Amino acid sequence: MYKAAAIILMTMIIMVVASSIDLNDLTKEISASIVKNVNPDVQNSIALWKIENQSSFSYNDNELRDLININLIKTHQFDVVDRSRLDQLLEEIEFTGSGLVDPETMKRLGEMYGIDLFLYGTFYDNEIAGSKNTTLILKAIDVERSQIAWAIELPVGGSYLRTSLDETVDKVVSSLAGEQGYLSGKGIQRISFWDIRDFNDKPLPKQMQKQVIDKLTVRLFEAYWDVVDRENLNKLLEELQFSESGLISQEQRERIGLMYGIDGFIYGTGSVDFDGQTALNLLLINTETGVLEWGDNIKIGLNTAESQQAVASNQQELLQQEQLRQQAEQLRQEQQRQQQQQRLQQQQWESETKWTLGYISLGISVFCIIGGGVYLDKGQVEGDIELRNEGIVFISVGSVALVGMILFVADYTP
C-alpha cells in the first residue's frame, strides 16, 4: 500500500516537473541532430509539415512550430520554408492531412518551392509502471527520393525508461542486420512496412501500430537502412486495395517497385505491453518475386517490480533535478537581493555625498557673494576701481557656485 502511494506521489511530482518542460531545449536538440545528420549541400530547404500529439503531454502547437523553425534558422545551415507559404501551396495541390503524397507530387513541391525535406512527427506515451514516459518521434522525408532522410526519438522531460517494446524493436533491427548481406544479395536495399496485426488476426489499434512502425523506422534508419515511411504509402495502398494479410499480386508489387523503388515489405503479428511482455512475429516479402526473404519472432518481457524500481529511480532523479533547480533559483534570488542592497547603499552614499558637496558649494557661494559685496561697497566708497572689480569677481564666482550647487543637488545634467 505504502509502495503504491509512493509511486503515485512520485508520478505527481513528475507531472509537475514535466509541465515546466522547456520546449526551447527540446527543439535545440532537434536542430542539433538535423545539422549533424543532414548534409545542407544536398538537402538545403526544410518545411515543417505536421506534429501530431497522441500522448498526455500538453504543449502549444504554434510555439513548438516557431521554436523548431527559429532554432533551425539559427544554425545558418538550412532554408526554412514559412508555414503560411506552405499552407497556400498545400491547398493548391490538394495536399491531404491523412498522410503524405505520392512521389510525383513531392517532386512538384520541390520544383515549385525548392523544398528538399518535409519534417513531421508524433508525440507518444510509453507507459511503464505509472509513468507516461513520453517521447517525440520526428522524421524528415527526402522529397526527391521519397524516403526517410533523418529520424530521431527524443524523451520529453527527464530520463527515458526503456520499455519491452524498445527492447523488442532493437532485437528486430539486430536480426535484420545479421541478414543484411543476404538480403542485399537478393536485391533488397529499400524497405517499408505494411500491416502489423494481433495474434487473432485483428488489426492492432491504429495508434499502437503507428507507434510500433515509427519506432522500427527510427531504429532502421539509425542502422543505415533505406526506409520508405509507412505514412507515405497510405494513399497508394488504398488505391491498390493492398490486402490486409500482407500479400500482394505481381502487378501490385511491380507498381510499388516502380513508384517507390521499395524492394521489401515488413509485415506480421504482435502484441505490446510496455512494462510487461511485447512480442513481434515479422516477415519480409520481396516485392519483385513475392518470396519471403526474412522472418523472426521476438519476445521480450520486463519484470514489473524492476520496472517500478526503475521508475522510482527515475522519479528520484527528477525530484533531485527539481530540488537543484529550486536551489539555483533561491541562489539567483539571493544574488538579486544582494545586488539590490548594494545599489541602495550606493544610491544612499551618492545622495549623502551630493548633499555634502552641495552644502560646501553653498557655503563657498555665500562667502563669495558676501565678501564680494563688501569689496564692491568699499571700492565704491574709496573710489578704488581695482577693489570694486575684485568684489564683482567674487560675487560672480559665488553666483556661479550657487547655480552649480542647485543644479547638482537637483541631479540636473546639462
Side-chain angles (χ1 to χ4, degrees):
M1 177 178 177
Y2 293 110
K3 189 173 183 180
I7 290 176
I8 293 173
L9 177 61
M10 298 301 286
T11 302
M12 292 175 64
I13 293 172
I14 275 190
M15 292 174 65
V16 172
V17 174
S19 65
S20 61
I21 289 169
D22 190 341
L23 285 179
N24 192 40
D25 289 342
L26 182 66
T27 54
K28 281 180 179 179
E29 285 190 65
I30 293 169
S31 61
S33 178
I34 292 175
V35 168
K36 181 179 178 181
N37 294 283
V38 177
N39 185 353
D41 294 331
V42 178
Q43 296 154 326
N44 177 257
S45 177
I46 296 179
L48 177 59
W49 167 227
K50 61 177 181 178
I51 296 180
E52 298 178 350
N53 189 7
Q54 297 186 4
S55 74
S56 58
F57 177 56
S58 178
Y59 65 97
N60 185 295
D61 185 64
N62 289 329
E63 180 186 11
L64 178 63
R65 288 178 177 276
D66 287 344
L67 288 173
I68 290 175
N69 286 336
I70 287 169
N71 282 302
L72 281 173
I73 292 168
K74 285 182 176 180
T75 67
H76 303 296
Q77 298 290 316
F78 302 97
D79 295 332
V80 181
V81 178
D82 182 65
R83 175 70 197 195
S84 59
R85 183 181 177 191
L86 182 60
D87 285 339
Q88 180 181 359
L89 171 62
L90 298 175
E91 184 177 345
E92 290 173 1
I93 64 173
E94 298 180 351
F95 195 85
T96 65
S98 59
L100 292 180
V101 292
D102 58 73
E104 291 305 316
T105 307
M106 289 183 183
K107 289 179 182 178
R108 183 180 172 190
L109 294 177
E111 291 172 358
M112 292 179 67
Y113 285 100
I115 299 173
D116 299 316
L117 298 175
F118 267 114
L119 187 64
Y120 58 102
T122 307
F123 284 96
Y124 294 109
D125 284 337
N126 303 265
E127 294 191 39
I128 177 170
S131 171
K132 293 299 182 182
N133 209 26
T134 306
T135 59
L136 169 61
I137 291 182
L138 272 180
K139 299 166 287 187
I141 185 172
D142 183 326
V143 171
E144 180 65 27
R145 301 173 62 202
S146 305
Q147 72 179 42
I148 296 296
W150 169 84
I152 194 171
E153 182 173 18
L154 291 172
V156 179
S159 302
Y160 178 69
L161 297 174
R162 287 179 60 80
T163 68
S164 62
L165 177 57
D166 294 308
E167 300 291 342
T168 304
V169 166
D170 284 351
K171 291 288 186 180
V172 170
V173 174
S174 295
S175 177
L176 278 166
E179 299 293 328
Q180 197 161 12
Y182 169 80
L183 294 173
S184 179
K186 293 294 184 177
I188 296 179
Q189 301 283 348
R190 207 175 194 206
I191 59 178
S192 188
F193 298 89
W194 170 231
D195 197 29
I196 300 178
R197 307 171 70 81
D198 67 21
F199 292 122
N200 295 317
D201 202 31
K202 302 293 184 181
L204 284 177
K206 185 176 180 181
Q207 177 179 332
M208 178 58 68
Q209 178 172 230
K210 185 175 182 294
Q211 185 170 0
V212 172
I213 291 177
D214 270 356
K215 282 182 176 285
L216 283 165
T217 298
V218 172
R219 302 297 187 274
L220 286 170
F221 170 78
E222 292 173 345
Y224 305 103
W225 284 89
D226 292 339
V227 184
V228 174
D229 194 9
R230 175 64 171 81
E231 289 187 70
N232 303 341
L233 302 177
N234 289 340
K235 182 177 179 181
L236 175 61
L237 294 174
E238 287 175 4
E239 292 175 358
L240 294 177
Q241 296 181 338
F242 196 85
S243 70
E244 291 187 348
S245 65
L247 298 177
I248 54 178
S249 68
Q250 179 68 27
E251 181 182 353
Q252 290 170 334
R253 286 196 299 270
E254 289 176 355
R255 182 173 177 185
I256 293 172
L258 180 64
M259 295 188 67
Y260 282 89
I262 297 174
D263 305 314
F265 268 111
I266 294 175
Y267 67 98
T269 57
S271 64
V272 177
D273 182 357
F274 290 108
D275 61 353
Q277 179 174 278
T278 292
L280 291 175
N281 296 340
L282 299 178
L283 300 166
L284 187 150
I285 186 172
N286 189 318
T287 55
E288 181 179 356
T289 65
V291 174
L292 295 174
E293 305 287 6
W294 169 88
D296 208 341
N297 63 310
I298 309 294
K299 184 182 295 185
I300 299 291
L302 292 183
N303 183 283
T304 302
E306 291 178 356
S307 300
Q308 291 178 345
Q309 184 178 3
V311 169
S313 175
N314 185 59
Q315 290 169 339
Q316 183 64 32
E317 180 182 343
L318 287 175
L319 182 59
Q320 290 174 352
Q321 291 175 358
E322 179 64 13
Q323 290 173 342
L324 289 174
R325 188 192 66 79
Q326 292 177 356
Q327 291 174 1
E329 178 64 18
Q330 290 174 355
L331 179 60
R332 184 185 66 83
Q333 292 177 355
E334 177 63 21
Q335 290 174 340
Q336 288 182 338
R337 188 190 65 79
Q338 292 177 358
Q339 291 172 355
Q340 179 68 15
Q341 186 176 5
Q342 290 174 354
R343 283 195 294 268
L344 290 174
Q345 292 174 348
Q346 178 70 16
Q347 290 172 358
Q348 183 178 1
W349 179 84
E350 290 175 354
S351 177
E352 292 174 352
T353 303
K354 176 174 63 178
W355 284 105
T356 299
L357 293 175
Y359 287 134
I360 293 174
S361 178
L362 178 62
I364 293 173
S365 63
V366 169
F367 173 80
C368 289
I369 291 172
I370 294 175
V374 172
Y375 275 42
L376 181 62
D377 290 341
K378 187 175 180 180
Q380 289 178 341
V381 171
E382 296 179 357
D384 190 336
I385 296 176
E386 184 176 347
L387 190 61
R388 187 182 63 182
N389 289 340
E390 288 179 0
I392 293 173
V393 170
F394 269 95
I395 292 173
S396 299
V397 171
S399 300
V400 171
L402 180 62
V403 171
M405 180 272 296
I406 294 172
L407 295 178
F408 180 73
V409 171
D411 271 338
Y412 175 78
T413 303

